[in-house]
Amino acid sequence: MTTALCPGSFDPPTNGHVDVIRRCLSIFNHVVLAVVANPSKQALFDSNERTAMLEELFKDEADRIEIKAFSGLLVDFARDRRVDVIVKGLRAVSDFEYELQMAQMNESLSGINTLFLPTNPEYGYLSSSLVKEVVRLGGSADTMVPPLVVTALKERYA
Ligand code: PNS
């Protein structure tokens, strides 16, 4: 059985995240979503809220997907869960430099490789930060995030 690890802040999950995770589920037997408990930027949703959103979004695949909050080094979490590979979505060249650096650091710390999945171009412009800004300033994110996330964002910024 091959287990892939998809790490992220997921603050909140976007349609881009959902697309990458769904494609991971079509490639790997088992997928672990690692929700960073303390992201580098101040989070809008706490790790329990972000984990609960992902659980609801992937409730139909609950037998093949495991969703866990983590703190500390990603590679320690990855080793504990015995994952085979880390998977990251890449939107644009601007993502590449930082993602490459993290992938190489993680490999040198643990020997665990990272695979990059190109984001569906439909979602190439999406980021959690921009989605939050759009909703905070009164715009609609209906085409950018799943309906349950739209509701959560509206409630948070009400
Ligand atoms: O969704 P994001 O914010 O791009 O996710 C970044 C994340 C959570 C994958 C990255 O910040 C991370 O791995 N954090 C855990 C701490 C760690 O292992 N740092 C060293 C990375 S080389």
Side-chain angles (χ1 to χ4, degrees):
M1 186 166 89
T2 313
T3 299
L5 176 69
C6 294
S9 305
F10 304 110
D11 185 46
T14 67
N15 289 342
H17 290 127
V18 171
D19 175 64
V20 167
I21 295 163
R22 288 212 181 289
R23 279 189 291 142
C24 261
L25 283 164
S26 75
I27 299 168
F28 300 100
N29 311 104
H30 190 70
V31 173
V32 179
L33 300 186
V35 180
V36 69
N38 303 110
S40 46
K41 290 179 210 159
Q42 171 82 33
L44 180 64
F45 297 101
D46 69 29
S47 59
N48 289 333
E49 292 171 317
R50 287 177 277 135
T51 303
M53 283 190 249
L54 288 163
E55 277 168 354
E56 180 61 24
L57 290 171
F58 292 99
K59 62 179 182 215
D60 293 341
E61 341 276 343
D63 54 330
R64 290 205 300 131
I65 196 160
E66 192 183 344
I67 302 161
K68 291 265 177 238
F70 79 102
S71 50
L73 279 179
L74 180 68
V75 289
D76 289 338
F77 177 85
R79 271 192 291 234
D80 286 351
R81 316 297 313 175
R82 298 181 184 282
V83 307
D84 299 289
V85 66
I86 296 168
V87 177
K88 300 294 291 284
L90 274 191
R91 285 167 299 193
V93 179
S94 49
D95 282 344
F96 181 72
E97 235 174 292
Y98 181 54
E99 292 294 346
L100 177 69
Q101 196 179 11
M102 280 202 289
Q104 289 170 332
M105 175 64 84
N106 286 333
E107 199 281 333
S108 85
L109 289 170
S110 68
I112 300 173
N113 286 299
T114 297
L115 292 181
F116 295 128
L117 268 187
T119 297
N120 185 326
E122 199 183 334
Y123 307 123
Y125 64 95
L126 284 184
S127 72
S128 298
S129 306
L130 276 185
V131 168
K132 283 183 281 192
E133 186 170 321
V134 166
V135 178
R136 183 171 57 82
L137 298 175
S140 166
D142 293 7
T143 60
M144 304 172 195
V145 293
L148 72 94
V149 178
V150 172
T151 304
L153 282 165
K154 282 185 182 158
E155 282 173 11
R156 194 54 45 110
Y157 286 123

